[in-house]
Amino acid sequence: MPRSRDPLVVGRIIGDILDPFTSSVSLRVVYGNNSEVINSSEFRPSQIINKPRVDIGGDDLRILHTLMMVNPDAPSPSDPYMKEYLHWLVTNIPATTDASFGQEIVSYENPRPMSGIQRLVFVLFCQSGRQIVLPPRWRGNFNTRDFAEVYDLGSPVAAVYFNSQRENGWGGRRL
């Protein structure tokens, strides 16, 4: 697919948080029973309260992966001073399995966008072997590129993102 039509480029995922890469592993993210995340799809906050099922492709259980979910638009796309907000981090996930088979380093925190349309990104890396990963001190101001460099993860092998915004009736002026 030409880079100009790649949804990760169009959605500014490539550039804002990731460098260009070639996807080499299938990544399927499903909320609830059948709400699959497809690049640039939209989910309401009420749909993403519980962590999703994340299926990772491959055919060798000895190959391990790291999965992270970040928000490059936190707390607001017009002022993303917490960019990138880390919502979830799982390591040592065997290929051909669900992320629940990995080691959860940072527990899933459901996104609650309060301002503007925000992008939520799942990024998958292939590990060189089993790793011990220390949890970051803060969820805010996480940096996917720096994390990948510290843990020698290389380029991502897959990524998918969706958009979310505040649901009608939330927040606003109170009388």
Side-chain angles (χ1 to χ4, degrees), residues 72-84:
D73 301 317
S76 162
S78 61
D79 186 19
Y81 65 86
M82 293 176 66
K83 173 184 182 173
E84 303 160 31

Side-chain angles (χ1 to χ4, degrees), residues 9-168:
V9 172
V10 173
R12 296 183 340 269
I13 304 306
I14 302 292
D16 282 358
I17 65 167
L18 301 175
D19 294 325
F21 72 97
T22 300
S23 184
S24 59
V25 173
S26 65
L27 174 65
R28 185 168 185 255
V29 179
V30 179
Y31 279 97
N33 290 333
N34 59 2
S35 297
E36 183 171 354
V37 174
I38 297 170
N39 284 319
S40 76
S41 57
E42 186 159 332
F43 285 82
R44 294 183 316 273
S46 61
Q47 294 175 286
I48 54 179
I49 291 172
N50 299 313
K51 69 181 163 186
R53 177 174 173 84
V54 178
D55 294 314
I56 297 169
D59 55 8
D60 187 345
L61 288 172
R62 295 172 294 176
I63 296 177
L64 301 174
H65 296 88
T66 294
L67 173 75
M68 59 188 71
M69 178 185 180
V70 296
N71 179 346
D73 301 317
S76 162
S78 61
D79 186 19
Y81 65 86
M82 293 176 66
K83 173 184 182 173
E84 303 160 31
Y85 190 88
L86 179 64
H87 284 276
W88 196 25
L89 176 61
V90 184
T91 63
N92 300 319
I93 308 165
T96 76
T97 66
D98 177 272
S100 64
F101 288 91
Q103 179 182 7
E104 193 172 62
I105 304 299
V106 175
S107 62
Y108 180 81
E109 181 181 310
N110 64 304
R112 295 179 297 271
M114 296 306 291
S115 176
I117 298 171
Q118 298 185 16
R119 299 167 293 164
L120 287 301
V121 186
F122 292 92
V123 183
L124 185 70
F125 292 92
C126 186
Q127 298 173 199
S128 58
R130 185 162 296 280
Q131 293 194 342
I132 296 173
V133 173
L134 301 174
R137 288 187 171 159
W138 300 279
R139 288 180 183 256
N141 297 306
F142 181 81
N143 188 298
T144 300
R145 288 179 179 108
D146 289 350
F147 181 87
E149 185 176 330
V150 167
Y151 289 100
D152 196 28
L153 297 174
S155 294
V157 295
V160 64
Y161 81 100
F162 67 92
N163 298 309
S164 188
Q165 62 184 316
R166 186 177 77 170
E167 292 186 62
N168 291 339

